[in-house]
Amino acid sequence: MVRFMAFSIRRAWHGFWKNGLMSLAATATMVLVLVLLAGLIILVTGLNATLDYVQSEVQVVAYLKDSTTQQDVIALETTLQRMPQVTQVKFVSKAQAYQDFLARHPGEADVINSLPNNPLPASLQINLSDPSNYVDVATYLNSEPGVDHVMNIQQTVEQLNTVIGVLQTGGTVLLVIVGLIVLFIVVNTIRLAVVARADEIEIMRLVGASDAFIRWPFIIEGAMVGLFGAAITNVLLLLSQGPITGFMAEYFKVLPVEASATVGPTIGLIVLGAGVGIGVLGSFLSVRSYLIR
Amino acid sequence: MAMVSPATPDFKPSQNRRPDAPDRPEDSVPTRIVLAMQGVTKSYPNGRVALRGVDLMIPEGDFVFLVGPSGAGKSTVIKLLIREELPTKGLVLLDGRDLGRLKRRDVPKVRRRIGVVFQDFKLLPNKTVRDNVGFALEVTGTPRRQIIPAVDRVLRVVGLTGQADQLPGQLSGGEQQRTAIARALVHNPRLFIADEPTGNLDPVISWEIIQLLLRINELGVTVLMATHNADVVTAVRRRVVALENGRIVRDELGAAYHRED
């Protein structure tokens, strides 16, 4: 068994380097595939993170009249906190709202400063244990005199949800289609590498090599193609991590986390697994057609 | 893991052989039959019938020429023997074992009992002579320490010791064929099959190859050689089996390529 393994690995290694051009072609195709895969995963992960973030955010915002007193606010807060549907209540003062606005729109400080006084209302931001409990809470808030109006973030979330759902489904469908096409390409590239050595396989069969002795070197070689492809892809991903984070920050502004930081190791593993898997599958399928007679 | 019997091609004449009559199994003491074909018919999916009711016995130590025009069925016989094809009807027995009923995973084991060489040598261009020969043992899981002496021995038999470290591209056609012969012998086969081994070689080199095959036969290996080479067959005067249209039309000892009536 040890001898068999040593033989297979040695032959795979020699096979990979002696057929350099074919190995290069297969590895390059593999890298393309894996980069595509990683890109799609990053995109879908980004969308999911956005959704999660928005969903976890404040679900009901009650804007307060400027006339509302401190006591009124405390009373409101206390009542809200006693409601079983409510998980958290946060008071945002007018001054805080002003600061938040400045932080979010740094270029527009002049606009707000040109006004005689701070136009931003104070608000209560309320988190719900279950978004569908919105109606109860909203009804209560609307009946309170200190509340100017209630904004239902839930509606926004639902709309966003629909959009993201479409994007996710589309992304997944795209991923599957691209994955299949790419699997086909990689399998064919590996097949070419195997065909290039059809005479070797023929000789092995003639001299009485068992199927395992013929198959395993090629499978290990396929795994090597996957391994190298994954390594190169991961290096590329690592190098582009900065720009990707920038991209994410640009397009998913709401996203507070550095997506690539949390997603990085997982994607690396997925890329590795997919690379080796595709390589092994490709070799297996390619050699199979030579063995079944 | 199944290991091959250690390859020790020292080619001692088998005990059943009598030095005075090596090619006449029928008047010798009971001899083992290496190859038996009984009522073998082979038709291909395209409807072509390559063999029709072929009966052929090859006893141990025999040297048989398989002759006949192109398309007579010589290649089909060889394909059946190396179990590249299965008979449509009839039995192909190698050492009493029915190749038609062989399990797929047992095919490699049977192939190790057969050495085969072709017109186009089938050598690996990027391996040396030594590695080409050793390859046959390597891919069947033979330990390295057994490969080296076995390869040295067969290279000595075919007279290529001096060329052991050359690549096939550096060799003459005859030397390439001798490399292929060495590779076919390294498993110490029960039956040595040569399919037009001189087809690509000039007459002088062809003679060298035939002499080598005769010598291998003298060392005790059963040889079946398919050929068009009438001069060689007629000169050597061994058993001749002639195929025509898928039938054996002649099976003579000490015969010429063509019928001598």
Side-chain angles (χ1 to χ4, degrees):
Chain A
M1 201 62 204
V2 174
R3 191 181 309 127
F4 170 68
M5 291 303 294
F7 165 85
S8 299
I9 292 168
R10 197 169 59 239
R11 260 184 68 72
W13 184 257
H14 286 173
F16 185 87
W17 294 110
K18 275 195 178 165
N19 300 271
L21 208 63
M22 276 298 172
S23 306
L24 190 72
T27 309
T29 319
M30 184 70 82
V31 169
L32 272 177
V33 171
L34 293 177
V35 165
L36 211 62
L37 179 76
L40 278 170
I41 291 174
I42 288 173
L43 205 66
V44 171
T45 315
L47 289 174
N48 276 335
T50 310
L51 187 64
D52 285 351
Y53 173 71
V54 171
Q55 273 177 340
S56 71
E57 269 295 273
V58 175
Q59 285 153 336
V60 179
V61 178
Y63 290 104
L64 304 176
K65 292 175 181 153
D66 285 357
S67 58
T68 315
T69 62
Q70 188 86 30
Q71 283 91 332
D72 290 340
V73 172
I74 291 168
L76 263 173
E77 269 190 279
T78 318
T79 320
L80 281 169
Q81 265 157 357
R82 285 208 192 105
M83 293 176 78
Q85 301 96 323
V86 174
T87 54
Q88 204 190 337
V89 180
K90 190 184 160 213
F91 175 70
V92 178
S93 68
K94 281 179 74 72
Q96 182 65 43
Y98 173 72
Q99 291 301 327
D100 288 352
F101 179 87
L102 283 188
R104 224 179 291 166
H105 310 279
E108 286 156 55
D110 292 344
V111 178
I112 204 160
N113 287 338
S114 67
L115 294 167
N117 44 39
N118 179 6
L120 298 166
S123 60
L124 283 172
Q125 309 199 336
I126 301 143
N127 285 16
L128 302 178
S129 57
D130 179 356
S132 55
N133 292 332
Y134 163 72
V135 182
D136 301 342
V137 180
T139 313
Y140 163 70
L141 285 169
N142 277 325
S143 68
E144 284 293 312
V147 175
D148 186 41
H149 69 277
V150 179
M151 200 171 88
N152 180 12
I153 303 260
Q154 183 58 26
Q155 256 171 2
T156 321
V157 168
E158 269 164 15
Q159 283 161 357
L160 198 65
N161 222 336
T162 316
V163 173
I164 289 178
V166 169
L167 287 175
Q168 265 182 334
T169 316
T172 311
V173 169
L174 195 70
L175 193 72
V176 168
I177 293 173
V178 168
L180 285 177
I181 292 173
V182 141
L183 182 70
F184 181 76
I185 294 172
V186 171
V187 166
N188 267 291
T189 314
I190 293 176
R191 187 183 294 258
L192 282 181
V194 173
V195 168
R197 280 182 284 160
D199 48 349
E200 218 169 291
I201 296 178
E202 188 196 352
I203 291 167
M204 290 177 85
R205 281 162 43 85
L206 273 177
V207 299
S210 60
D211 287 354
F213 267 80
I214 299 173
R215 182 186 285 135
W216 277 96
F218 283 108
I219 288 182
I220 293 173
E221 206 179 314
M224 273 173 71
V225 168
L227 212 63
F228 282 134
I232 293 169
T233 307
N234 280 333
V235 167
L236 288 179
L237 285 180
L238 218 61
L239 291 178
S240 59
Q241 196 172 25
I244 286 177
T245 310
F247 167 86
M248 300 289 271
E250 188 72 22
Y251 284 87
F252 304 106
K253 279 190 171 153
V254 272
L255 212 61
V257 287
E258 253 189 55
S260 51
T262 48
V263 164
T266 323
I267 286 199
L269 283 178
I270 292 175
V271 161
L272 189 72
V276 173
I278 294 173
V280 165
L281 187 68
S283 298
F284 184 81
L285 294 178
S286 306
V287 179
R288 213 166 78 111
S289 56
Y290 281 92
L291 296 180
I292 292 180
R293 287 279 169 94
Chain B
M1 175 135 310
M3 287 292 119
V4 217
S5 57
T8 49
D10 42 11
F11 305 118
K12 292 208 175 67
S14 72
Q15 289 158 346
N16 290 336
R17 277 168 55 86
R18 299 182 328 189
D20 55 333
D23 301 323
R24 290 164 205 274
E26 57 269 46
D27 59 16
S28 69
V29 284
T31 308
R32 287 187 62 185
I33 301 296
V34 173
L35 173 75
M37 295 175 81
Q38 291 169 3
V40 172
T41 295
K42 174 67 188 175
S43 46
Y44 286 102
N46 63 11
R48 198 172 72 83
V49 181
L51 295 177
R52 304 160 199 268
V54 167
D55 293 307
L56 179 64
M57 290 268 203
I58 300 182
E60 195 170 45
D62 213 353
F63 190 111
V64 181
F65 284 115
L66 188 62
V67 303
S70 296
K74 302 193 298 290
S75 304
T76 302
V77 168
I78 286 169
K79 279 181 187 155
L80 290 174
L81 296 186
I82 61 176
R83 207 226 169 251
E84 187 77 28
E85 296 285 350
L86 292 170
T88 314
K89 248 196 280 179
L91 290 176
V92 179
L93 303 168
L94 184 78
D95 273 331
R97 201 156 179 198
D98 184 359
L99 296 191
R101 292 207 194 154
L102 212 57
K103 287 198 195 90
R104 238 184 70 77
R105 61 186 166 83
D106 289 331
V107 171
K109 289 173 201 155
V110 166
R111 292 226 172 106
R112 289 171 211 171
R113 312 193 52 143
I114 298 173
V116 56
V117 298
F118 296 93
Q119 186 169 350
D120 60 342
F121 321 135
K122 296 193 198 293
L123 299 175
L124 293 172
N126 51 9
K127 284 187 186 292
T128 63
V129 167
R130 184 191 301 284
D131 289 343
N132 261 290
V133 176
F135 190 63
L137 292 175
E138 200 189 353
V139 300
T140 48
T142 312
R144 273 188 164 187
R145 60 179 185 283
Q146 289 175 25
I147 293 180
I148 295 161
V151 170
D152 284 345
R153 248 170 288 159
V154 280
L155 286 182
R156 229 176 294 132
V157 169
V158 301
L160 279 181
T161 307
Q163 286 86 341
D165 295 315
Q166 291 185 10
L167 294 172
Q170 300 169 292
L171 300 176
S172 69
E175 287 167 333
Q176 291 187 44
Q177 189 59 292
R178 280 193 275 161
T179 307
I181 290 170
R183 184 180 61 198
L185 286 177
V186 79
H187 273 299
N188 214 0
R190 287 284 289 152
L191 177 63
F192 184 94
I193 299 170
D195 188 4
E196 296 283 359
T198 60
N200 278 341
L201 304 174
D202 65 48
V204 178
I205 304 296
S206 295
W207 264 110
E208 285 179 22
I209 295 298
I210 299 301
Q211 296 301 327
L212 176 59
L213 293 185
L214 288 169
R215 180 155 171 253
I216 288 164
N217 178 240
E218 275 163 27
L219 292 169
V221 182
T222 311
V223 177
L224 174 70
M225 171 171 162
T227 186
H228 275 120
N229 196 328
D231 293 346
V232 163
V233 174
T234 305
V236 170
R237 295 281 163 184
R238 293 296 179 111
R239 180 175 169 195
V240 174
V241 173
L243 277 171
E244 246 171 63
N245 287 324
R247 288 197 172 86
I248 292 183
V249 294
R250 186 160 60 104
D251 187 350
E252 280 184 279
L253 293 173
Y257 185 86
H258 298 288
R259 189 182 295 275
E260 299 170 304
D261 290 327

